[in-house]
Amino acid sequence: MPELPEVERASRILRKAAAGQVIERVALLHPSLKRRVSPYRLRTLRGARIVTIVRRGKHQLLELDDRRTIHVHFRMAGDWQVGRRDEPLPPHARGTIELANGARIALVDPRALSTVDLHAANASPLLELGLEPSDPALTPAVLMAAFARKHGPIKPVLLDQRIIAGIGNIYAAEAMWRAKISPMAAASKLTRARIVRLLGAIRHVLGPAARLPGRYRDARDSSRIAVYGREGKPCRRCGTAIARTVQAGRSTYFCPRCQRT
DNA sequence: CGTATCCTGACC
DNA sequence: GGTCAGGATACG
């Protein structure tokens, strides 16, 4: 599920269930997660209070009252499921956070690619992340400068979390379609006008979580997904068959007619 | 820059 | 049984 809008939704669910609550136990169930935090360090979490949950890009940071941070990334298929400790675990539960109030938050991830890390007090999680799409500091000029340093096509550049945090494969395709820019267009050659359109499109497709503060407008119609996964189907603007190609190992869907290089 | 890798499930 | 999957990173 997770791109920025989905992680935003998930972190809100987590916030509602866990902010201000005391940890009873954190358990890592899958071997690939167990490798990341030792049983000893997990045990030190008992009694800590979760003060806030912060989302940065697709990362979730659970900040504890002792200044440590539980750092979660859903990767391809993670999600939270909130329940109670006495209920059976949901399928594909890879880890759990049990709270003193009896709640149990399960990290559910069929593919088991999610990551959980525990950062020491005051050790910043060292996220090499670019600006949030909702950050007013993210301007066309800033983007243009970042793109100028990049070689190659624009679409893989949009997936580079060090430039803009939170764009994933689906919404990269959607934003490019909306901005009428070909995924193969050279990043360094995009004109200012096209970058203005692209930035607007990114904020639109990523939804409310990506909007500039002070604006509101809900875009949750099915037209949010106009190209992704629609190979061979008609473009919703011009009717041309949507094409699929592979860039940097990822599928790219686009309209070969109305998205220009 | 591209490719392999971590995992498991869904689908052909 | 092979291919693909909404992510990120290590490597050539």
Side-chain angles (χ1 to χ4, degrees):
Chain A
M1 302 213 122
E3 288 200 29
L4 187 145
E6 293 78 20
V7 177
E8 173 68 20
R9 203 174 312 143
S11 69
R12 240 183 253 150
I13 287 166
L14 178 62
R15 200 170 293 131
K16 195 169 173 198
Q21 300 299 321
V22 170
I23 293 173
E24 180 74 27
R25 199 166 77 98
V26 175
L28 299 179
L29 309 174
H30 191 280
S32 65
L33 280 182
K34 287 184 183 188
R35 264 179 248 136
R36 306 183 73 91
V37 187
S38 73
Y40 165 75
R41 293 213 307 145
L42 278 184
R43 281 196 297 271
T44 65
L45 288 169
R46 181 187 298 269
R49 186 181 296 274
I50 300 169
V51 180
T52 51
I53 289 106
V54 175
R55 179 192 60 73
R56 272 287 281 134
K58 292 174 255 190
H59 302 252
Q60 296 174 84
L61 305 171
L62 289 67
E63 300 185 345
L64 308 181
D65 60 351
D66 59 16
R67 318 286 300 171
R68 290 184 295 172
T69 305
I70 302 173
H71 175 191
V72 178
H73 196 299
F74 283 161
R75 299 285 192 102
M76 301 276 257
D79 202 1
W80 297 121
Q81 187 161 321
V82 178
R84 306 214 37 93
R85 244 186 326 212
D86 47 25
E87 291 167 351
L89 273 178
H92 310 303
R94 308 307 190 189
T96 57
I97 302 171
E98 295 176 3
L99 301 174
N101 68 4
R104 182 185 61 206
I105 296 139
L107 169 54
V108 172
D109 180 1
R111 288 182 70 181
L113 292 171
S114 290
T115 61
V116 174
D117 295 291
L118 176 59
H119 299 290
N122 303 321
S124 72
L126 227 152
L127 302 177
E128 290 195 24
L129 283 182
L131 293 169
E132 290 290 320
S134 61
D135 191 333
L138 182 66
T139 61
V142 165
L143 268 191
M144 193 141 100
F147 291 168
R149 288 190 291 273
K150 290 289 192 173
H151 288 290
I154 178 65
K155 192 265 189 167
V157 172
L158 288 185
L159 297 181
D160 184 342
Q161 303 295 304
R162 295 167 300 185
I163 301 176
I164 305 176
I167 304 178
N169 202 35
I170 292 179
Y171 294 119
E174 296 301 321
M176 308 226 49
W177 179 83
R178 198 176 158 81
K180 299 185 182 174
I181 298 170
S182 162
M184 282 79 81
S188 60
K189 295 207 171 129
L190 287 180
T191 62
R192 194 192 151 77
R194 304 189 90 197
I195 291 174
V196 169
R197 258 196 291 142
L198 180 56
L199 182 54
I202 288 167
R203 286 180 166 143
H204 178 90
V205 301
L206 289 180
R211 298 287 157 65
L212 293 173
R215 295 236 227 125
Y216 62 91
R217 186 169 39 122
D218 204 351
R220 321 196 26 81
D221 44 296
S222 60
S223 66
R224 280 261 297 273
I225 304 298
V227 277
Y228 188 86
R230 297 192 63 242
E231 183 180 16
K233 303 214 170 100
C235 169
R236 298 210 166 132
R237 256 191 322 246
C238 74
T240 304
I242 297 299
R244 173 185 179 270
T245 185
V246 174
Q247 295 176 294
R250 318 288 307 276
S251 288
T252 298
Y253 298 88
F254 65 105
C255 172
R257 179 160 163 208
C258 59
Q259 291 178 249
R260 289 189 277 262
T261 51

